[in-house]
Amino acid sequence: MKKILNDPFSYAEETLKGLTRAYPQYYRLVEGTARVIARAGEPRQGKVGIVSGGGSGHLPIFTGYVGPGFLDACACGDVFASPSADEMAAAMRAANGGAGVLRLYGNYGGDVMNFDMAGEMVEFDDITSTTVLLADDVASAPLAEREKRRGVAGMVLTFKIAGAAAEAGLDLDGVTKVAQRAADGCRTMGVALSSCTVPQAGKPTFTIADDEMEVGMGIHGEPGVKREKLKAANDIADALLDPILADLALPRGERVTVLVNSLGATPVEELFILYNRIADRLGDAGLTIAHPLVGRYATSMEMAGASLTVLPLDGELENYLTAPAACAFWKV
Amino acid sequence: MKKILNDPFSYAEETLKGLTRAYPQYYRLVEGTARVIARAGEPRQGKVGIVSGGGSGHLPIFTGYVGPGFLDACACGDVFASPSADEMAAAMRAANGGAGVLRLYGNYGGDVMNFDMAGEMVEFDDITSTTVLLADDVASAPLAEREKRRGVAGMVLTFKIAGAAAEAGLDLDGVTKVAQRAADGCRTMGVALSSCTVPQAGKPTFTIADDEMEVGMGIHGEPGVKREKLKAANDIADALLDPILADLALPRGERVTVLVNSLGATPVEELFILYNRIADRLGDAGLTIAHPLVGRYATSMEMAGASLTVLPLDGELENYLTAPAACAFWKV
């Protein structure tokens, strides 16, 4: 196992401990937990709280995006495993400023079950909560079955937009509606070039030949839509963009933001090579790119590969996307 | 070759083109060149210019750190290859605001030769320049032969400090002295777990067994000080820290900053695991960590591994380190 770790069974805890030690200006470990992170300081009274959570191994997702203008708290599980309902409830309590809490997380069975249970648990603390499920992965189900799609890198954009809406003072209903609108717009498509190794498994999650790639693979190694020979960057960009554009069916003249994301090992150099083709193609389609992001925003540890997210913007979404925010991983 | 690219021979150019297209608020391609990047807009008159440069394949180093409070311009070569003297001269002209230009770059033979030549070339344009060589890699030569050491991740800290000094209005002599002081203090030690693949070579630069690591390996795959069995994270942290502390011989009570850097594929999760041990050890040594950085700051494309940089601080260096700066890659 070519990883830097002490004990596979404490990988998540040690990661989160290091995160809070290195960046105490942003993050604190919630007392009585080992894997629940909240913003430094007390929750802001009267502000809607936003919680997320899910398996570890995707930094900066999920925990990295806790901070002003972003999430308030986050429950993390072991690598690629759901946190417990108790941990999620602890995150909700830590995020609660008396104005309700939005549960904003990826559409995965274990997370849905546990976050639903956590929502019931905190009702006893008089915490009202709503849910927006993030389901941006075009490859994971056809458009007609959107409720089956998984949440991947597009989650980051919805975190940012919802976080800014809460910071701006919208009430729980308002923040929930903005988050839902961003979530509804997000489309992501990924390609994997190599596997990662879950520490507790100790060997790569899947195998893939040296000359192959898998289009549409999920961020935990869920099967994609096709495995084929590794193509040139421009062809990979097309393979990511075509299903997104077909799904969104945008008229010319729209504004969109794009997120070109490395799954981990793929260097940002190669993301910029992809970006050239994506920008050309979106320009040809009459679309204007606003505030593109290129980098590592949602990873699968050391998996090689990349994903593309496209989110159509209106004035409100764009304002929230570009509003000030601070955490250790948000760069522009 | 498990990489996302179109043509190995245009990898650097396409990368830089994508960088300037995605982030035009920070970067522009200098006219008449394919691989020289300058800050967006015109050089600020009366400000000392700072240029750097070197091979591509290390993003965010070098080009990523062009921006307000950082570098003014940067010349990039092919992957792991020096830019030409002409390109360096173009970078120096682009950085020139009439107050002189500091050449601030890593201590590699080709870069030194070409930057010296570039300095002579721009004398005809009445550009005065100075040089500070960055040589933070403890593994590459003993302390008694410090002038032989290579520049690695610590370069980023000196870019930041020198950039802030120039922004604050120091003259060329002042900026050069501050940069030299930061460069003199920086110590870095790295460990490689896997190779990367130079696009034009098409195969990994070196081989290393699945259960091995190489301590002290350079960022282009230069041989390290020892190859041994892959150890636990805490032991790796010790292997990085021990030679740095021996080299610096700091008295208790000093303030230092640390940069825990991934060489590319190693996920930030594992950097945070390393950070715990580094923070414990520095605490035990009576040292206070200020403004730690954990992330990907100086990479070797998809190489797995990590490096640790320690820089002793005084009030002036710390002020410049934490002064405002903006580029697509500086996060805190």
Side-chain angles (χ1 to χ4, degrees):
Chain A
M1 179 166 23
K2 209 85 194 216
K3 296 177 76 70
I4 298 178
L5 52 78
N6 290 307
D7 175 354
F9 293 89
S10 64
Y11 187 91
E13 284 84 343
E14 288 187 53
T15 292
L16 295 170
K17 187 178 173 192
L19 178 80
T20 57
R21 293 181 75 179
Y23 298 113
Q25 67 270 49
Y26 299 119
Y27 312 110
R28 68 181 169 91
L29 195 63
V30 172
E31 207 177 335
T33 76
R35 298 188 309 209
V36 182
I37 301 292
R39 281 192 203 186
E42 291 299 306
R44 209 175 93 202
Q45 289 306 307
K47 188 187 85 69
V48 170
I50 306 183
V51 291
S52 191
S56 291
H58 302 296
L59 279 177
I61 281 217
F62 295 87
T63 330
Y65 298 111
V66 168
F70 259 118
L71 307 174
D72 292 275
C74 199
C76 298
D78 269 330
V79 171
F80 296 179
S82 183
S84 70
D86 281 338
E87 288 168 314
M88 288 168 170
M92 291 182 72
R93 290 186 195 101
N96 178 39
V101 172
L102 167 62
R103 289 169 279 169
L104 187 61
Y105 60 98
N107 187 26
Y108 294 92
D111 294 326
V112 172
M113 190 180 73
N114 289 339
F115 255 126
D116 282 349
M117 209 182 303
E120 292 172 19
M121 291 162 71
V122 301
E123 284 179 15
F124 297 98
D125 304 286
D126 285 329
I127 298 175
T128 309
S129 63
T130 56
T131 296
V132 172
L133 286 178
L134 303 170
D136 53 309
D137 184 4
V138 170
S140 54
L143 185 57
E145 299 173 78
R146 247 210 111 176
E147 73 285 356
K148 294 184 183 170
R149 287 183 177 171
R150 300 181 292 251
V152 287
M155 295 194 282
V156 178
L157 300 177
T158 304
F159 292 164
K160 176 67 187 70
I161 288 166
E167 213 75 41
L170 271 63
D171 66 10
L172 182 59
D173 184 56
V175 173
T176 304
K177 281 181 178 151
V178 168
Q180 188 66 59
R181 222 148 50 72
D184 287 346
C186 266
R187 297 291 188 286
T188 300
M189 188 81 190
V191 59
L193 272 61
S194 78
S195 180
C196 58
T197 295
V198 175
Q200 296 185 13
K203 58 178 175 33
T205 305
F206 59 90
T207 55
I208 184 165
D210 271 352
D211 61 346
E212 286 182 334
M213 63 181 193
E214 186 154 330
V215 177
M217 179 167 277
I219 58 174
H220 311 97
E222 298 93 337
V225 290
K226 57 184 171 181
R227 183 171 290 203
E228 52 191 1
K229 292 292 175 194
L230 183 60
K231 291 181 172 175
N234 286 353
D235 297 319
I236 293 174
D238 289 345
L240 300 179
L241 194 53
D242 288 337
I244 291 175
L245 290 181
D247 215 80
L248 283 173
L250 292 172
R252 299 180 70 86
E254 293 279 307
R255 281 171 81 81
V256 299
T257 192
V258 304
L259 166 58
V260 185
N261 173 61
S262 169
L263 297 179
T266 291
V268 291
E269 279 83 353
E270 296 169 25
L271 303 181
F272 286 117
I273 292 174
L274 286 172
Y275 183 78
N276 286 316
R277 175 70 169 189
I278 292 162
D280 286 343
R281 287 282 315 274
L282 291 176
D284 290 345
L287 302 169
T288 301
I289 302 176
H291 319 290
L293 296 170
V294 179
R296 290 177 179 91
Y297 288 84
T299 65
S300 298
M301 292 183 295
E302 67 281 0
M303 191 184 285
S307 68
L308 167 65
T309 301
V310 177
L311 169 62
L313 295 172
D314 56 29
E316 187 183 32
L317 295 183
E318 189 166 343
N319 284 343
Y320 289 137
L321 179 66
T322 57
C327 68
F329 298 94
W330 187 252
K331 283 160 279 185
V332 282
Chain B
M1 176 167 21
K2 211 79 192 215
K3 297 177 77 69
I4 298 178
L5 52 77
N6 291 308
D7 175 355
F9 293 89
S10 64
Y11 187 92
E13 284 85 343
E14 289 187 52
T15 292
L16 296 171
K17 187 178 172 191
L19 179 81
T20 57
R21 292 182 74 180
Y23 297 114
Q25 67 270 49
Y26 299 119
Y27 312 111
R28 68 179 169 91
L29 196 63
V30 172
E31 209 177 333
T33 77
R35 298 187 311 208
V36 182
I37 301 292
R39 282 194 201 183
E42 292 297 306
R44 211 176 92 201
Q45 289 305 310
K47 189 187 85 68
V48 169
I50 305 183
V51 291
S52 191
S56 291
H58 302 297
L59 280 176
I61 280 212
F62 295 88
T63 329
Y65 297 111
V66 169
F70 259 118
L71 306 174
D72 292 276
C74 199
C76 299
D78 268 329
V79 171
F80 296 0
S82 183
S84 69
D86 281 338
E87 289 169 314
M88 289 167 167
M92 292 182 71
R93 290 186 196 104
N96 177 38
V101 173
L102 168 62
R103 289 170 280 171
L104 187 61
Y105 61 98
N107 187 26
Y108 294 92
D111 294 327
V112 172
M113 189 180 74
N114 289 338
F115 256 126
D116 282 350
M117 210 181 303
E120 292 171 20
M121 289 162 72
V122 301
E123 283 179 15
F124 296 99
D125 304 286
D126 284 329
I127 299 175
T128 308
S129 63
T130 56
T131 296
V132 172
L133 286 179
L134 303 170
D136 53 308
D137 184 5
V138 169
S140 53
L143 186 57
E145 299 173 78
R146 245 210 112 175
E147 73 286 354
K148 293 184 183 171
R149 286 183 177 172
R150 299 181 291 252
V152 287
M155 293 193 283
V156 178
L157 300 176
T158 304
F159 292 163
K160 176 67 186 69
I161 287 166
E167 212 73 43
L170 271 65
D171 66 11
L172 181 60
D173 184 56
V175 173
T176 304
K177 280 181 177 150
V178 168
Q180 188 67 58
R181 223 147 50 72
D184 286 346
C186 265
R187 298 291 190 283
T188 299
M189 188 80 188
V191 59
L193 273 60
S194 78
S195 179
C196 57
T197 295
V198 175
Q200 296 184 12
K203 57 179 176 36
T205 305
F206 60 90
T207 56
I208 182 164
D210 271 351
D211 62 345
E212 286 182 335
M213 63 181 192
E214 185 154 331
V215 177
M217 178 167 279
I219 59 174
H220 311 96
E222 296 94 338
V225 290
K226 57 184 169 180
R227 184 171 288 205
E228 51 190 2
K229 293 290 177 196
L230 183 61
K231 291 182 173 173
N234 286 354
D235 297 319
I236 293 175
D238 289 346
L240 300 180
L241 194 52
D242 288 339
I244 290 175
L245 290 180
D247 215 79
L248 283 172
L250 292 171
R252 298 180 71 86
E254 293 279 306
R255 282 172 80 82
V256 299
T257 192
V258 303
L259 166 58
V260 186
N261 174 60
S262 168
L263 298 180
T266 290
V268 291
E269 280 82 355
E270 297 168 26
L271 303 181
F272 287 117
I273 293 174
L274 287 172
Y275 183 78
N276 286 314
R277 176 69 170 191
I278 293 162
D280 286 344
R281 287 282 315 277
L282 291 176
D284 291 346
L287 302 170
T288 300
I289 302 177
H291 319 291
L293 295 171
V294 180
R296 292 178 177 92
Y297 288 85
T299 66
S300 299
M301 292 182 293
E302 67 280 359
M303 192 184 284
S307 69
L308 168 65
T309 302
V310 178
L311 169 63
L313 295 172
D314 56 27
E316 186 183 34
L317 294 183
E318 189 166 341
N319 283 343
Y320 288 137
L321 179 66
T322 58
C327 67
F329 299 93
W330 186 252
K331 282 162 282 187
V332 284

